[in-house]
Amino acid sequence: MSQSLTDFSGLIRSVQKSAVHLEMRDGYGVNNETKGFAEWKQGHRLNPDDRASWWRPWLDLVQEVTAKGVLIRRARVISEPVSDYIAFEHSFTFTNVMAGEQVRWLPRRQASDLVLPGNDFWLFDGKLVQFNIFDGVGRWVHTDQTEDPSVTAHCTAAFEAVWERGIPHEKYTV
């Protein structure tokens, strides 16, 4: 399934209670991050005090939805030592937190006994799972959605297991 940012924004806005996101890759080839990643590799870091320089539409959306009382949580399963991409992500995750998202990091070695799905996913209100399918170099390919109760139950359990063990962003250093 192909999905536009507008469609995804509508989906997030429709959430009543919670949206959780499990990320399990050590690198993504997301087009809108290419420039920022290159700049980060050259030493550029976002200044938390210069909000205008880093605030973006995703953060507006998170702030809008969390202001309605929706809980947005993101958990990342990562290898250590972390890849350059994960260090890059970590460097700007404070923006997600400032917008209202809760974020935790779980070193992969602490997830060996967990049963996790094969793909990253979003779970909306515990009822709809959207799997994000990426190719071998981390480029987004498409999404698959399901409301199958057994799949949503598996994804709920997987996310909560990672969340329980995860280290809050404020306490995790790379």
Side-chain angles (χ1 to χ4, degrees):
M1 170 177 153
S2 180
Q3 183 178 54
S4 71
L5 184 56
T6 302
D7 293 340
F8 187 75
S9 296
L11 188 56
I12 289 280
R13 283 187 176 102
S14 73
V15 171
Q16 300 296 307
K17 295 179 182 174
S18 70
V20 300
H21 189 193
L22 183 61
E23 297 177 354
M24 298 179 288
R25 296 183 58 88
D26 287 322
Y28 294 87
V30 182
N31 287 337
N32 67 343
E33 292 180 344
T34 304
K35 181 181 176 203
F37 188 34
E39 290 170 351
W40 178 86
K41 285 182 180 180
Q42 294 175 357
H44 174 73
R45 300 297 183 265
L46 298 180
N47 178 353
D49 296 327
D50 184 12
R51 184 177 174 138
S53 71
W54 50 260
W55 198 260
R56 55 195 190 275
W58 168 251
L59 301 172
D60 285 332
L61 181 61
V62 169
Q63 190 171 49
E64 172 191 330
V65 172
T66 57
K68 296 187 321 185
V70 172
L71 181 62
I72 298 181
R73 297 182 293 160
R74 180 186 308 257
R76 293 177 170 140
V77 178
I78 55 163
S79 299
E80 290 182 318
V82 300
S83 67
D84 284 350
Y85 183 86
I86 293 300
F88 163 66
E89 264 192 334
H90 187 273
S91 77
F92 69 77
T93 296
F94 74 88
T95 67
N96 299 68
V97 173
M98 289 181 74
E101 199 173 333
Q102 296 177 28
V103 180
R104 291 190 181 178
W105 304 83
L106 181 63
R108 194 172 310 282
R109 70 180 184 283
Q110 295 176 22
S112 295
D113 62 334
L114 300 180
V115 179
L116 302 175
N119 294 292
D120 292 6
F121 65 85
W122 278 92
L123 174 63
F124 304 101
D125 285 330
K127 297 176 184 172
L128 172 68
V129 176
Q130 176 171 297
F131 291 104
N132 295 317
I133 311 303
F134 294 91
D135 68 12
V137 294
R139 292 176 300 219
W140 179 83
V141 177
H142 68 273
T143 59
D144 292 331
Q145 291 183 345
T146 183
E147 294 183 61
D148 180 317
S150 65
V151 175
T152 60
H154 171 66
C155 288
T156 298
F159 181 85
E160 293 303 332
V162 170
W163 189 257
E164 180 70 26
R165 290 185 188 178
I167 302 163
H169 175 70
E170 302 76 29
K171 294 181 179 177
Y172 185 74
T173 56
V174 296

PDB file of all heavy atoms in Angstrom, residues 41-69:
ATOM      1  N   LYS A  41      26.967  14.534   9.991  1.00  0.00           N
ATOM      2  CA  LYS A  41      28.279  13.890   9.852  1.00  0.00           C
ATOM      3  C   LYS A  41      29.399  14.924   9.794  1.00  0.00           C
ATOM      4  O   LYS A  41      30.530  14.637  10.171  1.00  0.00           O
ATOM      5  CB  LYS A  41      28.321  13.017   8.595  1.00  0.00           C
ATOM      6  CG  LYS A  41      27.584  11.719   8.717  1.00  0.00           C
ATOM      7  CD  LYS A  41      27.752  10.946   7.409  1.00  0.00           C
ATOM      8  CE  LYS A  41      27.058   9.628   7.409  1.00  0.00           C
ATOM      9  NZ  LYS A  41      27.254   8.919   6.137  1.00  0.00           N
ATOM     10  N   GLN A  42      29.081  16.132   9.329  1.00  0.00           N
ATOM     11  CA  GLN A  42      30.074  17.204   9.253  1.00  0.00           C
ATOM     12  C   GLN A  42      30.121  18.038  10.534  1.00  0.00           C
ATOM     13  O   GLN A  42      30.815  19.042  10.594  1.00  0.00           O
ATOM     14  CB  GLN A  42      29.780  18.108   8.053  1.00  0.00           C
ATOM     15  CG  GLN A  42      29.952  17.391   6.734  1.00  0.00           C
ATOM     16  CD  GLN A  42      29.541  18.249   5.542  1.00  0.00           C
ATOM     17  OE1 GLN A  42      29.068  19.366   5.674  1.00  0.00           O
ATOM     18  NE2 GLN A  42      29.737  17.707   4.352  1.00  0.00           N
ATOM     19  N   GLY A  43      29.381  17.601  11.562  1.00  0.00           N
ATOM     20  CA  GLY A  43      29.467  18.266  12.860  1.00  0.00           C
ATOM     21  C   GLY A  43      28.301  19.150  13.247  1.00  0.00           C
ATOM     22  O   GLY A  43      28.263  19.664  14.365  1.00  0.00           O
ATOM     23  N   HIS A  44      27.338  19.346  12.367  1.00  0.00           N
ATOM     24  CA  HIS A  44      26.185  20.194  12.717  1.00  0.00           C
ATOM     25  C   HIS A  44      25.284  19.484  13.729  1.00  0.00           C
ATOM     26  O   HIS A  44      24.989  18.306  13.584  1.00  0.00           O
ATOM     27  CB  HIS A  44      25.363  20.534  11.468  1.00  0.00           C
ATOM     28  CG  HIS A  44      24.108  21.276  11.782  1.00  0.00           C
ATOM     29  ND1 HIS A  44      24.107  22.591  12.178  1.00  0.00           N
ATOM     30  CD2 HIS A  44      22.816  20.874  11.788  1.00  0.00           C
ATOM     31  CE1 HIS A  44      22.866  22.976  12.404  1.00  0.00           C
ATOM     32  NE2 HIS A  44      22.060  21.946  12.165  1.00  0.00           N
ATOM     33  N   ARG A  45      24.880  20.209  14.744  1.00  0.00           N
ATOM     34  CA  ARG A  45      23.935  19.692  15.736  1.00  0.00           C
ATOM     35  C   ARG A  45      22.814  20.698  15.908  1.00  0.00           C
ATOM     36  O   ARG A  45      23.039  21.919  15.830  1.00  0.00           O
ATOM     37  CB  ARG A  45      24.616  19.443  17.091  1.00  0.00           C
ATOM     38  CG  ARG A  45      25.762  18.435  17.050  1.00  0.00           C
ATOM     39  CD  ARG A  45      25.271  17.035  16.638  1.00  0.00           C
ATOM     40  NE  ARG A  45      26.324  16.046  16.647  1.00  0.00           N
ATOM     41  CZ  ARG A  45      27.046  15.680  15.591  1.00  0.00           C
ATOM     42  NH1 ARG A  45      26.859  16.265  14.425  1.00  0.00           N
ATOM     43  NH2 ARG A  45      27.959  14.743  15.685  1.00  0.00           N
ATOM     44  N   LEU A  46      21.611  20.198  16.166  1.00  0.00           N
ATOM     45  CA  LEU A  46      20.474  21.080  16.398  1.00  0.00           C
ATOM     46  C   LEU A  46      20.628  21.762  17.750  1.00  0.00           C
ATOM     47  O   LEU A  46      21.068  21.147  18.719  1.00  0.00           O
ATOM     48  CB  LEU A  46      19.167  20.292  16.370  1.00  0.00           C
ATOM     49  CG  LEU A  46      18.821  19.597  15.054  1.00  0.00           C
ATOM     50  CD1 LEU A  46      17.495  18.857  15.187  1.00  0.00           C
ATOM     51  CD2 LEU A  46      18.766  20.576  13.903  1.00  0.00           C
ATOM     52  N   ASN A  47      20.249  23.017  17.798  1.00  0.00           N
ATOM     53  CA  ASN A  47      20.304  23.796  19.029  1.00  0.00           C
ATOM     54  C   ASN A  47      18.922  23.765  19.672  1.00  0.00           C
ATOM     55  O   ASN A  47      17.972  24.326  19.118  1.00  0.00           O
ATOM     56  CB  ASN A  47      20.718  25.236  18.709  1.00  0.00           C
ATOM     57  CG  ASN A  47      20.749  26.125  19.923  1.00  0.00           C
ATOM     58  OD1 ASN A  47      20.339  25.748  21.019  1.00  0.00           O
ATOM     59  ND2 ASN A  47      21.239  27.337  19.750  1.00  0.00           N
ATOM     60  N   PRO A  48      18.783  23.129  20.830  1.00  0.00           N
ATOM     61  CA  PRO A  48      17.470  23.056  21.475  1.00  0.00           C
ATOM     62  C   PRO A  48      16.851  24.430  21.729  1.00  0.00           C
ATOM     63  O   PRO A  48      15.628  24.563  21.771  1.00  0.00           O
ATOM     64  CB  PRO A  48      17.747  22.337  22.800  1.00  0.00           C
ATOM     65  CG  PRO A  48      19.004  21.577  22.556  1.00  0.00           C
ATOM     66  CD  PRO A  48      19.803  22.402  21.581  1.00  0.00           C
ATOM     67  N   ASP A  49      17.668  25.446  21.875  1.00  0.00           N
ATOM     68  CA  ASP A  49      17.154  26.791  22.147  1.00  0.00           C
ATOM     69  C   ASP A  49      16.694  27.521  20.882  1.00  0.00           C
ATOM     70  O   ASP A  49      16.048  28.562  20.979  1.00  0.00           O
ATOM     71  CB  ASP A  49      18.227  27.633  22.850  1.00  0.00           C
ATOM     72  CG  ASP A  49      18.572  27.066  24.212  1.00  0.00           C
ATOM     73  OD1 ASP A  49      17.671  26.496  24.870  1.00  0.00           O
ATOM     74  OD2 ASP A  49      19.749  27.174  24.609  1.00  0.00           O
ATOM     75  N   ASP A  50      17.020  27.000  19.702  1.00  0.00           N
ATOM     76  CA  ASP A  50      16.639  27.634  18.438  1.00  0.00           C
ATOM     77  C   ASP A  50      15.535  26.803  17.780  1.00  0.00           C
ATOM     78  O   ASP A  50      15.706  26.228  16.710  1.00  0.00           O
ATOM     79  CB  ASP A  50      17.859  27.759  17.522  1.00  0.00           C
ATOM     80  CG  ASP A  50      17.549  28.509  16.234  1.00  0.00           C
ATOM     81  OD1 ASP A  50      16.461  29.123  16.137  1.00  0.00           O
ATOM     82  OD2 ASP A  50      18.401  28.463  15.329  1.00  0.00           O
ATOM     83  N   ARG A  51      14.398  26.747  18.450  1.00  0.00           N
ATOM     84  CA  ARG A  51      13.286  25.908  18.018  1.00  0.00           C
ATOM     85  C   ARG A  51      12.884  26.167  16.564  1.00  0.00           C
ATOM     86  O   ARG A  51      12.547  25.242  15.831  1.00  0.00           O
ATOM     87  CB  ARG A  51      12.109  26.142  18.960  1.00  0.00           C
ATOM     88  CG  ARG A  51      10.912  25.286  18.701  1.00  0.00           C
ATOM     89  CD  ARG A  51       9.858  25.585  19.753  1.00  0.00           C
ATOM     90  NE  ARG A  51       8.628  24.888  19.450  1.00  0.00           N
ATOM     91  CZ  ARG A  51       7.897  24.292  20.355  1.00  0.00           C
ATOM     92  NH1 ARG A  51       8.237  24.305  21.619  1.00  0.00           N
ATOM     93  NH2 ARG A  51       6.783  23.679  20.013  1.00  0.00           N
ATOM     94  N   ALA A  52      12.914  27.406  16.137  1.00  0.00           N
ATOM     95  CA  ALA A  52      12.496  27.731  14.771  1.00  0.00           C
ATOM     96  C   ALA A  52      13.359  27.020  13.727  1.00  0.00           C
ATOM     97  O   ALA A  52      12.886  26.739  12.625  1.00  0.00           O
ATOM     98  CB  ALA A  52      12.547  29.245  14.555  1.00  0.00           C
ATOM     99  N   SER A  53      14.595  26.684  14.076  1.00  0.00           N
ATOM    100  CA  SER A  53      15.496  26.059  13.104  1.00  0.00           C
ATOM    101  C   SER A  53      15.234  24.559  12.929  1.00  0.00           C
ATOM    102  O   SER A  53      15.676  23.977  11.943  1.00  0.00           O
ATOM    103  CB  SER A  53      16.951  26.285  13.508  1.00  0.00           C
ATOM    104  OG  SER A  53      17.280  25.507  14.648  1.00  0.00           O
ATOM    105  N   TRP A  54      14.538  23.929  13.866  1.00  0.00           N
ATOM    106  CA  TRP A  54      14.327  22.487  13.742  1.00  0.00           C
ATOM    107  C   TRP A  54      12.870  22.054  13.832  1.00  0.00           C
ATOM    108  O   TRP A  54      12.547  20.906  13.553  1.00  0.00           O
ATOM    109  CB  TRP A  54      15.158  21.714  14.767  1.00  0.00           C
ATOM    110  CG  TRP A  54      15.056  22.178  16.194  1.00  0.00           C
ATOM    111  CD1 TRP A  54      15.966  22.965  16.843  1.00  0.00           C
ATOM    112  CD2 TRP A  54      14.034  21.906  17.155  1.00  0.00           C
ATOM    113  NE1 TRP A  54      15.556  23.193  18.145  1.00  0.00           N
ATOM    114  CE2 TRP A  54      14.367  22.542  18.366  1.00  0.00           C
ATOM    115  CE3 TRP A  54      12.848  21.164  17.115  1.00  0.00           C
ATOM    116  CZ2 TRP A  54      13.588  22.484  19.509  1.00  0.00           C
ATOM    117  CZ3 TRP A  54      12.062  21.099  18.260  1.00  0.00           C
ATOM    118  CH2 TRP A  54      12.434  21.757  19.434  1.00  0.00           C
ATOM    119  N   TRP A  55      11.978  22.939  14.214  1.00  0.00           N
ATOM    120  CA  TRP A  55      10.570  22.543  14.308  1.00  0.00           C
ATOM    121  C   TRP A  55      10.059  22.220  12.912  1.00  0.00           C
ATOM    122  O   TRP A  55      10.342  22.929  11.962  1.00  0.00           O
ATOM    123  CB  TRP A  55       9.749  23.667  14.943  1.00  0.00           C
ATOM    124  CG  TRP A  55       8.431  23.175  15.459  1.00  0.00           C
ATOM    125  CD1 TRP A  55       7.231  23.308  14.837  1.00  0.00           C
ATOM    126  CD2 TRP A  55       8.177  22.468  16.662  1.00  0.00           C
ATOM    127  NE1 TRP A  55       6.237  22.738  15.588  1.00  0.00           N
ATOM    128  CE2 TRP A  55       6.795  22.199  16.725  1.00  0.00           C
ATOM    129  CE3 TRP A  55       8.981  22.016  17.712  1.00  0.00           C
ATOM    130  CZ2 TRP A  55       6.186  21.523  17.772  1.00  0.00           C
ATOM    131  CZ3 TRP A  55       8.383  21.343  18.750  1.00  0.00           C
ATOM    132  CH2 TRP A  55       7.004  21.096  18.789  1.00  0.00           C
ATOM    133  N   ARG A  56       9.332  21.146  12.764  1.00  0.00           N
ATOM    134  CA  ARG A  56       8.866  20.726  11.449  1.00  0.00           C
ATOM    135  C   ARG A  56       7.425  20.193  11.529  1.00  0.00           C
ATOM    136  O   ARG A  56       6.923  19.976  12.631  1.00  0.00           O
ATOM    137  CB  ARG A  56       9.813  19.690  10.856  1.00  0.00           C
ATOM    138  CG  ARG A  56      10.056  18.471  11.713  1.00  0.00           C
ATOM    139  CD  ARG A  56      11.280  17.683  11.235  1.00  0.00           C
ATOM    140  NE  ARG A  56      11.393  16.404  11.892  1.00  0.00           N
ATOM    141  CZ  ARG A  56      11.980  16.219  13.076  1.00  0.00           C
ATOM    142  NH1 ARG A  56      12.474  17.231  13.733  1.00  0.00           N
ATOM    143  NH2 ARG A  56      12.050  15.017  13.604  1.00  0.00           N
ATOM    144  N   PRO A  57       6.797  19.950  10.406  1.00  0.00           N
ATOM    145  CA  PRO A  57       5.386  19.535  10.418  1.00  0.00           C
ATOM    146  C   PRO A  57       5.092  18.301  11.276  1.00  0.00           C
ATOM    147  O   PRO A  57       4.050  18.242  11.926  1.00  0.00           O
ATOM    148  CB  PRO A  57       5.077  19.274   8.935  1.00  0.00           C
ATOM    149  CG  PRO A  57       6.019  20.177   8.208  1.00  0.00           C
ATOM    150  CD  PRO A  57       7.274  20.188   9.045  1.00  0.00           C
ATOM    151  N   TRP A  58       6.006  17.311  11.286  1.00  0.00           N
ATOM    152  CA  TRP A  58       5.763  16.129  12.119  1.00  0.00           C
ATOM    153  C   TRP A  58       5.604  16.527  13.586  1.00  0.00           C
ATOM    154  O   TRP A  58       4.730  16.027  14.289  1.00  0.00           O
ATOM    155  CB  TRP A  58       6.890  15.103  11.968  1.00  0.00           C
ATOM    156  CG  TRP A  58       6.812  14.027  13.013  1.00  0.00           C
ATOM    157  CD1 TRP A  58       7.652  13.840  14.069  1.00  0.00           C
ATOM    158  CD2 TRP A  58       5.812  13.014  13.135  1.00  0.00           C
ATOM    159  NE1 TRP A  58       7.242  12.772  14.837  1.00  0.00           N
ATOM    160  CE2 TRP A  58       6.109  12.241  14.281  1.00  0.00           C
ATOM    161  CE3 TRP A  58       4.685  12.675  12.382  1.00  0.00           C
ATOM    162  CZ2 TRP A  58       5.331  11.160  14.684  1.00  0.00           C
ATOM    163  CZ3 TRP A  58       3.908  11.599  12.793  1.00  0.00           C
ATOM    164  CH2 TRP A  58       4.229  10.850  13.933  1.00  0.00           C
ATOM    165  N   LEU A  59       6.425  17.441  14.047  1.00  0.00           N
ATOM    166  CA  LEU A  59       6.366  17.856  15.455  1.00  0.00           C
ATOM    167  C   LEU A  59       5.077  18.626  15.742  1.00  0.00           C
ATOM    168  O   LEU A  59       4.503  18.485  16.825  1.00  0.00           O
ATOM    169  CB  LEU A  59       7.600  18.675  15.809  1.00  0.00           C
ATOM    170  CG  LEU A  59       8.922  17.919  15.600  1.00  0.00           C
ATOM    171  CD1 LEU A  59      10.099  18.860  15.779  1.00  0.00           C
ATOM    172  CD2 LEU A  59       9.029  16.711  16.496  1.00  0.00           C
ATOM    173  N   ASP A  60       4.607  19.411  14.785  1.00  0.00           N
ATOM    174  CA  ASP A  60       3.307  20.071  14.935  1.00  0.00           C
ATOM    175  C   ASP A  60       2.204  19.022  15.123  1.00  0.00           C
ATOM    176  O   ASP A  60       1.323  19.172  15.965  1.00  0.00           O
ATOM    177  CB  ASP A  60       2.965  20.915  13.702  1.00  0.00           C
ATOM    178  CG  ASP A  60       3.738  22.219  13.627  1.00  0.00           C
ATOM    179  OD1 ASP A  60       4.121  22.761  14.682  1.00  0.00           O
ATOM    180  OD2 ASP A  60       3.940  22.703  12.496  1.00  0.00           O
ATOM    181  N   LEU A  61       2.264  17.988  14.303  1.00  0.00           N
ATOM    182  CA  LEU A  61       1.260  16.932  14.364  1.00  0.00           C
ATOM    183  C   LEU A  61       1.306  16.205  15.709  1.00  0.00           C
ATOM    184  O   LEU A  61       0.263  15.967  16.333  1.00  0.00           O
ATOM    185  CB  LEU A  61       1.472  15.954  13.208  1.00  0.00           C
ATOM    186  CG  LEU A  61       0.491  14.803  13.097  1.00  0.00           C
ATOM    187  CD1 LEU A  61      -0.939  15.312  12.901  1.00  0.00           C
ATOM    188  CD2 LEU A  61       0.902  13.895  11.925  1.00  0.00           C
ATOM    189  N   VAL A  62       2.505  15.857  16.168  1.00  0.00           N
ATOM    190  CA  VAL A  62       2.644  15.188  17.469  1.00  0.00           C
ATOM    191  C   VAL A  62       2.080  16.075  18.572  1.00  0.00           C
ATOM    192  O   VAL A  62       1.325  15.618  19.439  1.00  0.00           O
ATOM    193  CB  VAL A  62       4.119  14.821  17.755  1.00  0.00           C
ATOM    194  CG1 VAL A  62       4.306  14.374  19.196  1.00  0.00           C
ATOM    195  CG2 VAL A  62       4.588  13.741  16.789  1.00  0.00           C
ATOM    196  N   GLN A  63       2.432  17.343  18.541  1.00  0.00           N
ATOM    197  CA  GLN A  63       1.960  18.266  19.568  1.00  0.00           C
ATOM    198  C   GLN A  63       0.435  18.386  19.533  1.00  0.00           C
ATOM    199  O   GLN A  63      -0.227  18.386  20.576  1.00  0.00           O
ATOM    200  CB  GLN A  63       2.616  19.633  19.375  1.00  0.00           C
ATOM    201  CG  GLN A  63       2.366  20.577  20.523  1.00  0.00           C
ATOM    202  CD  GLN A  63       3.213  21.829  20.392  1.00  0.00           C
ATOM    203  OE1 GLN A  63       3.250  22.462  19.334  1.00  0.00           O
ATOM    204  NE2 GLN A  63       3.902  22.184  21.454  1.00  0.00           N
ATOM    205  N   GLU A  64      -0.121  18.466  18.340  1.00  0.00           N
ATOM    206  CA  GLU A  64      -1.580  18.557  18.177  1.00  0.00           C
ATOM    207  C   GLU A  64      -2.274  17.335  18.772  1.00  0.00           C
ATOM    208  O   GLU A  64      -3.246  17.447  19.519  1.00  0.00           O
ATOM    209  CB  GLU A  64      -1.911  18.687  16.690  1.00  0.00           C
ATOM    210  CG  GLU A  64      -3.373  18.609  16.346  1.00  0.00           C
ATOM    211  CD  GLU A  64      -3.607  18.478  14.845  1.00  0.00           C
ATOM    212  OE1 GLU A  64      -2.797  18.983  14.039  1.00  0.00           O
ATOM    213  OE2 GLU A  64      -4.627  17.862  14.472  1.00  0.00           O
ATOM    214  N   VAL A  65      -1.780  16.157  18.427  1.00  0.00           N
ATOM    215  CA  VAL A  65      -2.425  14.912  18.855  1.00  0.00           C
ATOM    216  C   VAL A  65      -2.231  14.667  20.351  1.00  0.00           C
ATOM    217  O   VAL A  65      -3.173  14.286  21.047  1.00  0.00           O
ATOM    218  CB  VAL A  65      -1.912  13.730  17.993  1.00  0.00           C
ATOM    219  CG1 VAL A  65      -2.402  12.399  18.520  1.00  0.00           C
ATOM    220  CG2 VAL A  65      -2.330  13.923  16.547  1.00  0.00           C
ATOM    221  N   THR A  66      -1.038  14.899  20.857  1.00  0.00           N
ATOM    222  CA  THR A  66      -0.811  14.680  22.295  1.00  0.00           C
ATOM    223  C   THR A  66      -1.569  15.709  23.133  1.00  0.00           C
ATOM    224  O   THR A  66      -1.964  15.402  24.261  1.00  0.00           O
ATOM    225  CB  THR A  66       0.683  14.677  22.645  1.00  0.00           C
ATOM    226  OG1 THR A  66       1.283  15.904  22.237  1.00  0.00           O
ATOM    227  CG2 THR A  66       1.398  13.492  21.999  1.00  0.00           C
ATOM    228  N   ALA A  67      -1.810  16.892  22.592  1.00  0.00           N
ATOM    229  CA  ALA A  67      -2.591  17.906  23.319  1.00  0.00           C
ATOM    230  C   ALA A  67      -4.031  17.440  23.523  1.00  0.00           C
ATOM    231  O   ALA A  67      -4.700  17.879  24.461  1.00  0.00           O
ATOM    232  CB  ALA A  67      -2.559  19.241  22.578  1.00  0.00           C
ATOM    233  N   LYS A  68      -4.512  16.514  22.667  1.00  0.00           N
ATOM    234  CA  LYS A  68      -5.856  15.945  22.815  1.00  0.00           C
ATOM    235  C   LYS A  68      -5.871  14.820  23.847  1.00  0.00           C
ATOM    236  O   LYS A  68      -6.913  14.227  24.087  1.00  0.00           O
ATOM    237  CB  LYS A  68      -6.355  15.350  21.491  1.00  0.00           C
ATOM    238  CG  LYS A  68      -6.551  16.320  20.378  1.00  0.00           C
ATOM    239  CD  LYS A  68      -7.208  15.670  19.144  1.00  0.00           C
ATOM    240  CE  LYS A  68      -6.745  14.271  18.825  1.00  0.00           C
ATOM    241  NZ  LYS A  68      -7.282  13.707  17.589  1.00  0.00           N
ATOM    242  N   GLY A  69      -4.698  14.495  24.407  1.00  0.00           N
ATOM    243  CA  GLY A  69      -4.625  13.417  25.386  1.00  0.00           C
ATOM    244  C   GLY A  69      -4.193  12.084  24.832  1.00  0.00           C
ATOM    245  O   GLY A  69      -4.180  11.079  25.541  1.00  0.00           O
TER     246      GLY A  69
END
